[in-house]
């Protein structure tokens, strides 16, 4: 595992050398050969995001790989000069169309004891005319990220490629300074509830969830990090059972059926917590049943559920 965690340069080389037009399994197998004992696996791909790309000419030949750096150099701080100089150049602005592949491997029995590897798959595509007719941005920022400039069909101008994003030991992340922030309180409890429930009796947490990591700058100019659990369930996630209308055996059958589809016990509880827009009538309905004549949850799950009732939270 140290081969990967301590060698981001090696991961970058692997990404650069792997054909992104092949199936993701080819990259997975290459990574598995580095740490065959780790059980590394591809668990999720998240896509449909974009970031600014570069500049190409009318024949889609590259002018610059970084539109911001190019615009700052060419404008010398004056966006009007930039527009005047390139109004008739026939250049296009591009964007990087991307998706992120998540790989995980366990390094201990606790739910936080895993390594998360993120690799991006990117392709440069045409986004818009660099200077559109009758369009005059007021600033360089508006030129770089225009809201009203017409977009073009995203024609590829280069082959797709992989890029190493980051590798994160999750247990270490939770021990870091940012891990003491309020944003991580609910996450720590989510992981603790997993450890204390019947969900921990099956496969490792990292086979069913990844953490979506996002950096932001706080009011003091310090870089902070948030981490939100995202299910690795593939396909359309089923709706949670309606706690408002089900009771007794029907409710028991519904939550157990949900768990079977998702792939581990007590899954309905963790998916309920990860949907902050949901109401929590389902948990309350199960608790009403179990305080009455019904007994369809293991004792450890009931304990977790009652602790949630005493102090509810979501992630």
């Amino acid at each position: 595992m140290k081969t990967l965690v301590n060698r981001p340069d090696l991961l970058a080389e692997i990404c650069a050398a792997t054909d992104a037009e092949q199936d993701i399994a080819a990259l997975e197998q290459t990574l598995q050969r580095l740490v065959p004992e780790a059980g590394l696996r591809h668990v999720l791909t998240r896509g449909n995001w974009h970031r600014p790309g570069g500049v190409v000419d009318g024949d889609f030949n590259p002018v610059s790989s970084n539109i911001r750096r190019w615009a700052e150099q060419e404008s010398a701080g004056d966006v009007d000069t930039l527009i005047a100089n390139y109004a008739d150049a026939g250049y296009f602005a591009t964007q990087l169309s991307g998706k992120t592949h998540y790989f995980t491997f366990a390094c201990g029995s606790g739910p936080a004891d895993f390594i998360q590897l993120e690799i991006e798959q990117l392709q440069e595509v045409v986004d818009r005319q660099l200077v559109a007719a009758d369009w005059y941005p007021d600033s360089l920022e508006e030129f770089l990220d225009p809201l009203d400039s017409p977009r073009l069909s995203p024609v590829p101008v280069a082959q797709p490629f992989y890029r190493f994003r980051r590798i994160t030991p999750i247990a270490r992340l939770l021990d870091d300074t940012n891990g003491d922030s309020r944003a991580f309180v609910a996450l720590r409890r989510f992981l603790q509830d997993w450890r204390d429930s019947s969900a921990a009796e099956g496969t490792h947490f990292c086979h069913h969830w990844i953490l979506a990591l996002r950096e932001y700058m706080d009011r003091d100019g310090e870089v902070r990090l948030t981490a939100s659990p995202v299910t690795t369930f593939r396909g359309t996630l089923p709706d949670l059972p309606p706690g408002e209308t089900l009771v007794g055996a029907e409710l028991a059958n519904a939550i157990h059926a949900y768990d079977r589809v998702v792939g581990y016990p007590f899954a309905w509880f963790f998916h309920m917590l990860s949907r902050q827009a949901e109401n929590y009538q389902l948990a309350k309905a199960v608790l009403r049943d179990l305080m009455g004549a019904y007994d369809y949850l293991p004792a450890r799950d009931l304990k977790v559920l009652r602790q949630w009732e005493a102090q509810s939270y979501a992630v």
Side-chain angles (χ1 to χ4, degrees):
M1 290 181 290
K2 290 182 179 180
T3 303
L4 294 183
V5 174
N6 298 330
R7 289 293 308 276
D9 56 326
L10 177 59
L11 289 167
E13 290 173 9
I14 290 171
C15 290
T18 304
D19 184 359
E21 291 190 303
Q22 296 184 37
D23 187 88
I24 189 64
L27 178 60
E28 182 181 46
Q29 290 169 6
T30 301
L31 295 168
Q32 286 172 341
R33 284 194 290 270
L34 288 178
V35 282
E37 77 287 353
L40 177 145
R41 66 170 72 174
H42 169 245
V43 293
L44 182 66
T45 295
R46 303 180 80 195
N48 299 319
W49 52 263
H50 304 86
R51 67 169 62 119
V55 179
V56 295
D57 66 18
D59 295 321
F60 297 167
N61 296 311
V63 174
S64 173
S65 62
N66 187 312
I67 188 172
R68 176 175 290 277
R69 184 166 58 240
W70 177 87
E72 289 173 348
Q73 291 173 349
E74 295 296 318
S75 68
D78 184 354
V79 71
D80 292 333
T81 299
L82 181 65
I83 297 300
N85 289 344
Y86 289 95
D88 299 320
Y91 284 5
F92 296 95
T94 68
Q95 64 180 7
L96 293 174
S97 176
K99 50 189 173 183
T100 304
H101 300 294
Y102 291 85
F103 302 80
T104 62
F105 50 101
C107 52
S109 59
D113 295 331
F114 71 97
I115 310 297
Q116 179 172 294
L117 170 62
E118 299 170 45
I119 292 176
E120 297 175 340
Q121 183 172 335
L122 303 166
Q123 185 166 33
E124 189 176 15
V125 298
V126 168
D127 179 37
R128 57 184 171 87
Q129 291 181 321
L130 186 69
V131 181
D134 301 322
W135 175 69
Y136 302 98
D138 293 328
S139 66
L140 189 60
E141 286 303 318
E142 186 180 357
F143 171 82
L144 292 169
D145 188 18
L147 297 178
D148 53 359
S149 180
R151 257 52 184 187
L152 303 174
S153 297
V155 179
V157 300
Q159 296 299 310
F161 60 96
Y162 289 125
R163 178 181 291 169
F164 167 66
R165 176 67 178 92
R166 64 182 149 208
I167 186 165
T168 309
I170 299 302
R172 186 189 304 171
L173 170 69
L174 294 176
D175 289 337
D176 285 348
T177 303
N178 283 348
D180 294 329
S181 68
R182 293 176 57 187
F184 281 77
V185 172
L187 175 60
R188 281 202 183 92
R189 188 167 169 199
F190 188 80
L191 293 167
Q192 178 180 325
D193 282 349
W194 179 282
R195 183 197 64 198
D196 294 341
S197 75
S198 60
E201 297 172 0
T203 55
H204 198 279
F205 177 87
C206 70
H207 297 158
H208 297 285
W209 297 87
I210 58 96
L211 295 186
L213 305 176
R214 185 179 68 86
E215 294 177 339
Y216 70 97
M217 190 170 293
D218 65 15
R219 284 179 288 183
D220 298 324
E222 301 237 354
V223 176
R224 300 291 183 184
L225 188 71
T226 62
S228 303
V230 175
T231 178
T232 64
F233 183 81
R234 301 186 185 189
T236 303
L237 196 65
D239 292 331
L240 287 167
E244 300 90 340
T245 59
L246 298 181
V247 66
E250 285 187 323
L251 181 55
N253 290 335
I255 63 172
H256 293 325
Y258 185 95
D259 292 350
R260 285 193 295 273
V261 170
V262 176
Y264 59 92
F266 211 35
W268 67 268
F269 175 75
F270 293 100
H271 282 268
M272 180 193 72
L273 296 182
S274 69
R275 302 182 188 181
Q276 296 193 40
E278 295 274 354
N279 64 46
Y280 299 117
Q281 293 305 315
L282 176 57
K284 294 174 182 177
V286 172
L287 280 164
R288 281 196 301 269
D289 273 0
L290 299 180
M291 295 303 103
Y294 297 95
D295 182 16
Y296 51 76
L297 281 188
R300 62 191 299 183
D301 293 350
L302 176 57
K303 181 178 179 181
V304 168
L305 197 55
R306 294 187 71 174
Q307 289 172 340
W308 176 87
E309 180 187 35
Q311 187 177 1
S312 61
Y313 75 101
V315 292

